[in-house]
Amino acid sequence: MSSIVAQYMGEVSERMKGHIARVARNHPNGAFSDDFENTYNMTGIVFSIGNTTMGGRFTGNCIAEFGILTVLGQFDFYLEDEFADPADVGLEVIDLGETIYENIHRPLDDYLRGRPSGGQRLGIHTGEPYPITDEWTGSFSGQIYADQGRSRFG
């Protein structure tokens, strides 16, 4: 997951700084927080992730002195995705060797030994979706101008 986190942080780092600055300016000398969420394409990083939802919450404190805001806080991030099958069509193709064994060899062997044969697998069955999730935290600190016009953030 570290490569996904690195890709995500590379994409949102500057926007996140501006977002924190805007929220902090509305809470000089006090606590602040906000939630964020978006969908990001991570197919090039990990195929099974694809388009995934990533977001979280930041909480912090702001102290205003002499036109400067000092901000300190923490991030709580999450990743939420679901993987069903490579083609995302609800089917999963099983191994050809396993298909031949399950559909030909095992039933024939069972028949010759006088054992009842169970249900046959056709080589294709529905994919069972499974969740892909992660959570991580981080911290932030910095100083910005209280006057938004003087700052490159927010």
Side-chain angles (χ1 to χ4, degrees), residues 3 5 26 36-37 39 41 44 59 67 71-72 75 78 86 95 127 132-133:
S3 57
V5 171
N26 291 325
F36 51 94
E37 180 180 279
T39 301
N41 184 345
T59 56
V71 295
L72 302 164
F75 290 107
Y78 64 84
D95 179 85
I132 300 172
T133 61

Side-chain angles (χ1 to χ4, degrees), residues 62-124:
C62 180
I63 299 170
E65 284 186 314
F66 310 112
I68 303 289
L69 301 178
T70 301
V71 295
L72 302 164
Q74 178 174 321
F75 290 107
D76 294 308
F77 294 101
Y78 64 84
L79 175 150
E80 294 177 348
D81 199 0
E82 182 178 84
F83 184 77
D85 58 76
D88 202 21
V89 294
L91 298 175
E92 179 182 352
V93 178
I94 62 174
D95 179 85
L96 183 59
E98 181 183 351
T99 301
I100 292 170
Y101 178 78
E102 292 292 327
N103 291 322
I104 298 172
H105 290 80
R106 178 175 287 178
L108 183 58
D109 186 53
D110 288 346
Y111 174 77
L112 292 173
R113 293 176 187 257
R115 292 185 295 215
S117 185
Q120 302 303 305
R121 297 172 69 180
L122 301 176
I124 297 179

Side-chain angles (χ1 to χ4, degrees), residues 16-42:
M16 192 65 67
K17 289 175 187 175
H19 189 83
I20 291 169
R22 285 188 298 278
V23 174
R25 282 191 185 97
N26 291 325
H27 300 88
N29 293 313
F32 62 90
S33 66
D34 200 21
D35 298 313
F36 51 94
E37 180 180 279
N38 206 343
T39 301
Y40 300 89
N41 184 345
M42 296 292 166

Side-chain angles (χ1 to χ4, degrees), residues 8 30 99 107 126 130:
Y8 171 71
T99 301
T126 60
Y130 60 88

